[in-house]
Amino acid sequence: MASLNVSLSFFIATCALCEATRRASKALLPAGTYASFAREAVGTAQLAACCLEMRVLVELGPWVGGFGPDLLLTLLFLLFLVHGVTFDGASANPTVALQEFLMAEASLTSTLLKLVAQVLGAQAACALTQRCWTWELSELHLLQSLMATHCSSTLRTSVLQGALVEGACTFFFHLSLLHLQHSLLVYRVPALALLVTVMAYTAGPYTSAFFNPALAASVTFHCSGNTLLEYAHVYCLGPVAGMILAVLLHQGHLPRLFQRNLFYRQKNKYRTPRGKLSPGSADSKTSTRGSSAKGQ
């Protein structure tokens, strides 16, 4: 239980520190710089640090602290509730930034700044979290600090199947995100947190269910077991393909690239029904008949 208390304290301290940084950046930086860079960097750092600590609980918690899957899944759900409330509109996910670009909702410059911020935020969180583990505040942190240089791959299946799993998770996540984008925060955040928890439970044994290239790069790309190219296929190409399929299914096209709708036929909203005359034409026809009768 002491190890769990240390991890809970780590989560609280991380979220509090990131929230303070977020508010200071919002007050000091221009609005464009904050939205395109600072907000994304801080949000990704918060997500990556909590993910790294959560991975320690998942891998070492069951046999060191006796933590069951019900506790871990509940904690994951609560963490994503906190992330959804505190992110202040940040996506903390490169595929979401690319989705906004393909939807013509963000410029190329803003998208590139977000991608750079997300990579830097994830790498900074990785370095700071590993430094925190060296303090050995709990048995879990002691073991993790000893194992940090010999981490194992989170990809526990073939490259093709892993890419399909990550792509499918990203597809369902983005489809839900697009469907709920205009919903109230009080409904959108719990729904997405529940979806992430279900997918982590379902796909976690295969790829750890990152569906976030920046997060996967900071957590597993440096681990042995697979090459960098294999990691890129699973955790980058798979999610990007899943995101594009979700946008195509939801929109019928990619607004940034082409306007023609490939899947859905757009109907004319003001089409006049066949076989019926408009009131104006009926009146003119009646007046014409009346004038003809008078002439006779």
Side-chain angles (χ1 to χ4, degrees), residues 113-142:
L113 281 175
K114 287 181 180 180
L115 295 177
V116 172
Q118 289 162 358
V119 172
L120 292 178
Q123 295 300 322
C126 184
L128 293 175
T129 303
Q130 289 179 352
R131 180 64 181 270
C132 180
W133 290 338
T134 60
W135 297 344
E136 299 177 0
L137 299 176
S138 68
E139 294 181 1
L140 291 177
H141 286 184
L142 172 61

Side-chain angles (χ1 to χ4, degrees), residues 117-256:
Q118 289 162 358
V119 172
L120 292 178
Q123 295 300 322
C126 184
L128 293 175
T129 303
Q130 289 179 352
R131 180 64 181 270
C132 180
W133 290 338
T134 60
W135 297 344
E136 299 177 0
L137 299 176
S138 68
E139 294 181 1
L140 291 177
H141 286 184
L142 172 61
L143 292 173
Q144 183 60 34
S145 63
L146 295 175
M147 299 167 55
T149 56
H150 304 287
C151 63
S152 58
S153 172
T154 57
L155 180 59
R156 292 177 284 272
T157 184
S158 66
V159 173
L160 178 59
Q161 186 176 2
L164 291 175
V165 168
E166 286 290 307
C169 289
T170 309
F171 171 79
F172 288 115
F173 175 75
H174 280 267
L175 198 61
S176 302
L177 192 65
L178 289 167
H179 183 71
L180 298 170
Q181 60 183 341
H182 300 300
S183 302
L184 295 176
L185 189 69
V186 68
Y187 301 123
R188 183 172 69 251
V189 170
L192 292 176
L194 180 61
L195 176 65
V196 170
T197 305
V198 170
M199 290 194 297
Y201 175 76
T202 305
Y206 303 100
T207 63
S208 291
F210 288 115
F211 48 94
N212 184 327
L215 192 60
S218 65
V219 173
T220 196
F221 274 28
H222 62 282
C223 295
S224 59
N226 295 94
T227 65
L228 183 61
L229 185 60
E230 290 174 336
Y231 283 134
H233 276 107
V234 173
Y235 295 110
C236 296
L237 293 182
V240 170
M243 177 271 296
I244 292 175
L245 287 177
V247 174
L248 283 174
L249 184 62
H250 185 267
Q251 294 291 118
H253 65 118
L254 300 175
R256 176 68 65 177

Side-chain angles (χ1 to χ4, degrees), residues 259-276:
Q259 295 298 324
R260 181 183 177 185
N261 201 307
L262 301 178
F263 297 152
Y264 310 115
R265 180 180 298 175
Q266 295 182 351
K267 297 181 179 179
N268 189 357
K269 193 165 87 172
Y270 303 103
R271 185 178 60 183
T272 303
R274 293 182 179 179
K276 293 184 179 180

Side-chain angles (χ1 to χ4, degrees), residues 59-157:
E59 292 185 350
L60 302 179
W63 63 276
V64 173
F67 306 148
D70 52 346
L71 172 64
L72 298 175
L73 290 173
T74 302
L75 186 57
L76 180 65
F77 175 75
L78 294 176
L79 281 175
F80 272 89
L81 278 182
V82 174
H83 294 332
V85 172
T86 61
F87 270 11
D88 193 26
S91 63
N93 191 331
T95 59
V96 178
L98 291 175
Q99 172 196 298
E100 294 172 352
F101 175 73
L102 292 177
M103 296 277 290
E105 298 173 353
S107 64
L108 178 61
T109 303
S110 175
T111 302
L112 291 177
L113 281 175
K114 287 181 180 180
L115 295 177
V116 172
Q118 289 162 358
V119 172
L120 292 178
Q123 295 300 322
C126 184
L128 293 175
T129 303
Q130 289 179 352
R131 180 64 181 270
C132 180
W133 290 338
T134 60
W135 297 344
E136 299 177 0
L137 299 176
S138 68
E139 294 181 1
L140 291 177
H141 286 184
L142 172 61
L143 292 173
Q144 183 60 34
S145 63
L146 295 175
M147 299 167 55
T149 56
H150 304 287
C151 63
S152 58
S153 172
T154 57
L155 180 59
R156 292 177 284 272
T157 184

